[in-house]
Amino acid sequence: MGNALDKRVVVISAGIVGASLAYHLADKGANITLVEAEGIASGVIGGSLAWINILCG
């Protein structure tokens, strides 16, 4: 993808892969829109032993 600055990206799904992708792209400066049908990690991930921690601040 090269330099992510000034890129607009829509990530569909806030499971482990989608949330990680959105985080890392945002960290590189991309403008991220994260789309999830329900709550974050509420699908397959919500029923597994995987953990997603959301830091607010």
Side-chain angles (χ1 to χ4, degrees):
M1 185 168 133
N3 187 350
L5 293 176
D6 299 324
K7 303 291 184 192
R8 298 176 73 197
V9 180
V10 176
V11 177
I12 311 285
S13 179
I16 287 178
V17 173
S20 178
L21 178 63
Y23 171 82
H24 288 286
L25 288 173
D27 190 49
K28 298 289 185 186
N31 181 1
I32 302 297
T33 300
L34 183 58
V35 178
E36 174 59 51
E38 295 184 27
I40 293 175
S42 64
V44 173
I45 299 304
S48 75
L49 295 176
W51 289 55
I52 294 181
N53 293 316
I54 300 172
L55 299 176
C56 300

